[in-house]
Every structure is written in C-alpha cells, then in structure tokens.
C-alpha cells in the first residue's frame, strides 16, 4: 500500500497494517494504527501521521521532517520504538514501550505518561522538547524507571526537562551545560512520596526520622559521559513542602547507600547550592552526583538528613501467621543510637495503627555494625488480612516508620468482636469485628450511667470489619461497647485513659 502526496484517512476505526506502508502525505486514523509487521515508512516528504493510539510491532522509518501526532491513546510495541521525526500530542497519551524521537513539540496542556519507560530526545537542541501550556511529561514512578532522556552530548545550553506531577504540578528539572564538555545522554526521573517520605528509592531504608524537614519528592539524574558537571535546578510543588516550612534553607542531598549516609560533608553532597523559596527550587552548581537518589531537606542547612550513619539500616521485615498467632521478624545491618522498636497493626494498612508488641534496648545495645535479628509475637491477630509495620525510635526520641506488610491469619469465626484499639492520642477508638455474612449491624457506646455516647447502624460485609468512633470530646473512664445483628449481641469493655 503506497499513498504518495495525498491523504490517507480512516474515519472512526483502526488501520491495521501487516505489510509495508509508505506515506508521503497525510495519514489519519480514527482510533488506532497497528503496524503488525513489515515497514511503516513516513516517506521522503514531511509526512504527517495522526492517530489516537499507535502500536508498532514492525519497523518505523522516514525522515526527521515527518511528524507523528497522538491524540489521546498509547504508544506501544513489541520492542523499543524509534520515531524518525517529531512527536506531537493533541491529547493525553502514555508510553507502553520506551520511545526515541528527534523532537517533541506542541505539548500544550496535554500530558505524556512514561509508565516505567524512557522517552529519549535524539536532538541536542535546547528546543527539542517544548511546551506552551500546563502540560508536560509525567515520570512519577517509585522505581525511578520512568526517565526523560536527552542526547545533549557536548552542546552548551539550558535544557529544561518539562516534568509534571500526576496532578499537573510543575516539577521541571533544568540542566545548564557549558565548556563543550561531554555529558552524553542525560536523563531524569522523579516521583512524589507521602508525608513520611515513603515509598523510598531502592536501597534507602529511611530518612533518619526527620520527615517533617524533608520535601515529599525524590529525584535521580543519570548521564552516559562523565566529563560534564552541569548546573542543575530541581523544582517541587507547594504540597510537597516539609511540614516545618523553612524553604529558604532548603538543600539537596544525595544518598550513598554504600556508607549508609545521605550526606557526609564531602563526597556524597551536592555542593554550591542556592534555594529560591518563591520558585520552589534548589540550584546545585557543578552537579556530579549522577546515579544517586536525591531529596531535599531544610533541617538547619547542609547535612540535615544526618551527617552520621543512618540510625537503622533495615534489611528484612516480614510477618507470617502460624497456629493462630502472627510472628514478626526483622533484621538490621547497622544501628546507631537506636532506642528500640514497636510493632503496630492496622486493618487497612493506611490508618488506625495500634501497637501490639515492642522491643526496647539498653543504652549499651544502641549501636551495632553487625547484622542483628529480632522477633515479636502478636498472640491475638485479627481475622482475615491485616497489616504490620515497624516503628524505630532513636535515643533522642525521633521516630521512623517502615512500610507495612500484609498477613492473613484465619477466617471468619462467627459474629464477634475481635479487638478494640485505643489510639495513642485518645482521639478515637477502632473496634474490629467479624461477621459471617453481609448484614446490617447496630452498635452503641455507653458510659457507666447507661447514657449513650455513640450509636449507629452500618452495612457490614462478610469477614472482618472496623468501626471508628471519635472520642475527642469523651471523658476518661470505662465504657461498654455493644454490637448486635439479628441473632446476637456482643459486648466488650473500653477504657479511655
């Protein structure tokens, strides 16, 4: 099939090509273009290929003046794809495979989601990717595998990697190259973390219990040639600012997992930094820490993430159910000024964690440079699936939480209360109960005079359920919690201290 100098138009359907197709003019498909094999040649003229989704299982060829426009679908294929010319977005799109293009233009307000893949710009021009609106490229993968790469080489200039958050916030990374030195292909990956700075990059166990001083974002920069150390500017959004503020003293810090530090004042820290609180940026002069995860801290200047080794380097954490009880095991590689650990449990892994076990250390046990293993038991686990997490406590009172792990222990055993969890701040209680079937149940919380403090009907699901009751305005004392279905009423005591 060969369309020369004219338009190829498919309205409201898919163009499926299982041989060779050459387009020297315009080609438009309504839904998708699927090149199952053969060669799709964009010709010798400035051909324009417009499609909603683009699947390339064969070979794509053409000239650098051609354009592929994707209007709101995915770009995918059986292997990495090279688009010989320009990629344009006329709607939000995503990558299902790594893609190399000469340039990307006319992003506008559209978003291109990398999805764990790499988008490589083959042109060294500073205008190889441009945008005129609020759109951009979404990295946002906690594996730092979603990369925007640029074949800069020895070209001097200001290179703006137009990254945005999943919500459209501007997190552009800028590199300024100079001196004609070679950087090869430079690439950038970034993602937002939660307020506890999780999930963390591979090899990073925690951030020394100073989450309130750390930006809720990680970066990693890469290069293929090591003679160029560009000036780098990292940008974050307002919602990622540390809870203690302090943007004016913000500094970028890089991880050195080999020596268990984020910053030691010399080899692991980006130096020559300046913060711009109004622009939400930190600029690093002559950046060289490629291939190391980065974040930012405002905890009193450089080294705020810990000039000493990380308090605890966790290498293993697991929970398993045997004979009706949960065994929790964890191992540390090193410990510094460690006061001990607490094990917390939650029904959903997101909220209402309550301590079920603890192991505190004597002062002489606080430091270790050899692996140490620990074990704790929860003798009364919840039925069904629940979540356990490790809380580490420093000698100075600082704490760090490690990501929770799920464990299933037993099934439903009739209508009964499994546990009552009193949160440490005494602002609420959580009551966990089991039921054999989907049904409406009714609960009450009663004080010693028989007055009802709380009551409600809820739609319970077969299995494990949880009720959260606010106790922020309830006096300390002993209360009775009752819950009933059509056949049974069960009651348990609640103590608010």
């Amino acid at each position: 099939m060969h369309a020369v100098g004219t338009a190829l138009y498919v309205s409201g359907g898919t163009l499926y090509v299982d041989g060779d197709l050459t387009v020297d003019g315009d080609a438009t498909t309504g839904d998708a273009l699927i090149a199952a094999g053969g060669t799709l040649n964009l010709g010798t003229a400035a051909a324009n290929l417009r499609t909603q989704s683009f699947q390339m299982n064969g070979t794509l060829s053409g000239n650098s003046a051609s354009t592929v426009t994707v209007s709101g679908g995915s770009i995918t294929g059986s292997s990495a794809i090279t688009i010989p010319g320009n990629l344009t977005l006329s709607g939000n799109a995503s990558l299902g495979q790594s893609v190399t293009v000469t340039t990307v233009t006319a992003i506008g307000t559209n978003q291109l989601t990398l999805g764990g893949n790499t988008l490589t710009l083959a042109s060294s021009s500073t205008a190889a990717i441009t945008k005129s609106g609020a759109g951009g490229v979404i990295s946002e993968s906690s594996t730092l595998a979603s990369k925007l790469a640029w074949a800069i080489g020895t070209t001097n200039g200001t290179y703006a990697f137009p990254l945005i958050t999943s919500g459209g916030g501007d997190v552009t990374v800028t590199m300024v190259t100079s001196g004609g030195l070679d950087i090869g292909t430079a690439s950038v990956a970034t993602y937002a973390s939660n307020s506890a700075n999780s999930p963390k990059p591979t090899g990073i166990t925690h951030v020394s219990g100073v989450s309130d001083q750390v930006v809720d974002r990680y970066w990693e920069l890469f290069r293929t040639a090591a003679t160029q150390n560009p000036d780098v500017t990292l940008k974050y959004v307002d919602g990622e600012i540390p809870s203690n503020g302090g943007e004016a003293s913000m500094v970028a810090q890089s991880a050195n997992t080999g020596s268990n530090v984020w910053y030691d004042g010399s080899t692991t820290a980006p130096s020559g930094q300046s913060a711009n609180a109004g622009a939400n940026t930190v600029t690093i002069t002559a950046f060289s820490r490629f291939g190391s995860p980065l974040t930012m801290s405002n905890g009193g200047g450089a080294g705020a993430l810990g000039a000493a080794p990380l308090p605890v380097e966790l290498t293993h954490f697991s929970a398993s159910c045997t004979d009706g009880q949960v065994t929790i095991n964890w191992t540390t590689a090193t410990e510094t000024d460690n006061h001990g650990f607490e094990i917390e449990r939650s029904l959903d892994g997101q909220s209402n964690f309550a301590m079920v076990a603890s192991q505190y250390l004597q002062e002489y046990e606080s430091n270790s440079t050899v692996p140490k293993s620990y074990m704790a038991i929860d003798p009364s686990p919840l039925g069904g699936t629940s979540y356990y997490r490790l809380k580490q406590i420093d000698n100075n009172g600082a704490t760090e939480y490690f990501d929770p792990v799920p464990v299933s222990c037993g099934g439903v055993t009739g209508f009964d209360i499994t546990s009552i969890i009193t949160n440490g701040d005494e602002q609420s209680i959580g009551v966990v109960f089991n039921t054999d079937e989907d049904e409406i149940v009714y609960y009450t919380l009663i004080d010693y005079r028989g007055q009802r403090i709380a009551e409600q009907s809820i739609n319970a699901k077969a299995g494990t359920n949880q009720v959260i009751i606010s106790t922020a305005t309830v006096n300390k004392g002993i209360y009775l919690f009752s819950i009933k279905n059509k056949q049974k009423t069960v009651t348990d005591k609640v103590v608010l201290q």
Side-chain angles (χ1 to χ4, degrees):
M1 183 175 185
H2 192 181
V4 181
T6 57
L8 172 66
Y9 185 73
V10 179
S11 177
T14 296
L15 176 61
Y16 186 94
V17 180
D18 198 11
D20 295 339
L21 172 66
T22 298
V23 178
D24 282 343
D26 290 345
T28 301
T29 70
D31 291 333
L33 183 135
I34 300 175
T39 297
L40 175 61
N41 188 347
L42 297 184
T44 58
N48 292 308
L49 174 63
R50 292 181 291 271
T51 183
Q52 181 175 345
S53 293
F54 182 55
Q55 180 176 330
M56 189 69 225
N57 295 334
T59 301
L60 180 64
S61 64
N63 65 85
S64 60
S66 60
T67 297
V68 174
T69 299
V70 178
S71 62
S74 62
I75 305 173
T76 187
S78 58
S79 60
I81 301 168
T82 297
I83 297 176
N86 178 53
L87 173 65
T88 297
L89 301 181
S90 61
N92 294 337
S94 62
L95 298 188
Q97 184 60 264
S98 291
V99 174
T100 297
V101 299
T102 303
T103 56
V104 178
T105 60
I107 294 177
T109 59
N110 301 306
Q111 300 177 349
L112 177 62
T113 301
L114 299 179
N117 300 291
T118 298
L119 174 66
T120 301
L121 306 170
S123 170
S124 63
S125 168
T126 58
I129 184 167
T130 60
K131 67 170 191 171
S132 58
V137 178
I138 298 176
S139 175
E140 301 302 309
S141 168
S142 61
T143 62
L144 291 169
S146 297
K147 301 175 185 177
L148 177 57
W150 208 325
I152 298 171
T154 58
T155 306
N156 298 334
T158 300
Y159 293 85
F161 294 70
L163 298 171
I164 59 175
T165 69
S166 299
D170 184 7
V171 288
T172 295
V173 174
T174 303
M175 293 187 189
V176 180
T177 58
S178 60
L181 300 175
D182 193 7
I183 196 172
T185 297
S187 55
V188 177
T190 185
Y191 71 93
S193 61
N194 61 23
S195 59
N197 302 109
S198 290
K200 301 171 182 64
T202 301
I204 304 301
T205 56
H206 63 304
V207 288
S208 300
V210 289
S211 294
D212 64 328
Q213 302 170 8
V214 180
V215 164
D216 298 334
R217 177 163 292 277
Y218 294 101
W219 295 262
E220 192 162 1
L221 281 58
F222 307 85
R223 63 183 175 182
T224 60
T227 59
Q228 172 73 248
N229 291 333
D231 295 344
V232 171
T233 298
L234 305 176
K235 185 176 178 64
Y236 53 92
V237 298
D238 285 343
E240 297 164 355
I241 297 172
S243 59
N244 73 349
E247 290 184 83
S249 61
M250 198 76 72
V251 292
Q253 298 191 15
S254 61
N256 186 331
T257 56
S259 56
N260 300 325
V261 294
W262 273 93
Y263 169 73
D264 66 5
S266 57
T267 59
T268 64
S271 59
Q273 302 189 40
S274 60
N276 185 329
N280 288 5
T281 62
V282 167
T283 298
I284 309 153
T285 303
F287 180 84
S288 63
R289 294 298 298 162
F290 291 91
S292 296
L294 299 160
T295 189
M296 297 182 192
S297 169
N298 63 15
L305 284 185
L310 300 177
V312 169
E313 181 187 5
L314 185 71
T315 59
H316 171 76
F317 180 69
S318 65
S320 60
C321 181
T322 304
D323 296 331
Q325 63 181 18
V326 171
T327 301
I328 303 100
N329 292 282
W330 67 101
T331 302
T332 64
T334 60
E335 298 179 19
T336 302
D337 294 331
N338 180 27
H339 176 65
F341 304 93
E342 294 177 356
I343 300 296
E344 297 183 340
R345 184 186 67 196
S346 166
L347 182 62
D348 60 7
Q350 302 292 327
S351 59
N352 299 297
F353 278 93
M355 187 178 72
V356 294
S358 62
Q359 287 199 19
Y360 303 118
L361 305 180
Q362 299 295 324
E363 187 174 351
Y364 68 87
E365 300 175 301
S366 294
N367 300 284
S368 173
T369 59
V370 298
K372 295 176 66 176
S373 295
Y374 299 87
M375 183 182 72
I377 299 292
D378 180 6
S380 302
L382 305 178
T385 300
S386 54
Y387 297 80
Y388 291 81
R389 72 179 182 185
L390 183 67
K391 175 182 178 181
Q392 184 268 326
I393 307 168
D394 291 353
N395 283 335
N396 63 5
T399 60
E400 179 70 12
Y401 293 94
F402 297 89
D403 294 338
V405 297
V407 60
S408 296
C409 200
V412 178
T413 55
F415 182 70
D416 204 355
I417 296 173
T418 302
S419 64
I420 297 180
I421 303 167
T422 304
N423 291 334
D425 57 8
E426 300 293 347
Q427 298 296 300
S428 65
I429 60 171
V431 180
V432 181
F433 67 95
N434 287 333
T435 181
D436 288 326
E437 59 184 349
D438 294 354
E439 61 181 343
I440 297 175
V441 300
Y442 176 75
Y443 74 79
T444 58
L445 183 66
I446 301 173
D447 66 13
Y448 70 97
R449 295 171 296 182
Q451 294 184 346
R452 295 184 179 184
I453 306 301
E455 58 181 337
Q456 187 176 352
S457 296
I458 60 173
N459 292 314
K461 299 295 183 181
T464 303
N465 298 262
Q466 183 172 228
V467 173
I468 305 298
I469 303 174
S470 174
T471 56
T473 59
V474 178
N475 294 328
K476 296 178 181 179
I478 299 175
Y479 297 81
L480 290 179
F481 176 86
S482 295
I483 188 167
K484 65 179 181 180
N485 61 8
K486 293 180 180 179
Q487 292 83 28
K488 184 179 179 182
T489 299
V490 289
T491 301
D492 206 343
K493 181 172 64 175
V494 178
V495 180
L496 298 180
Q497 299 178 342

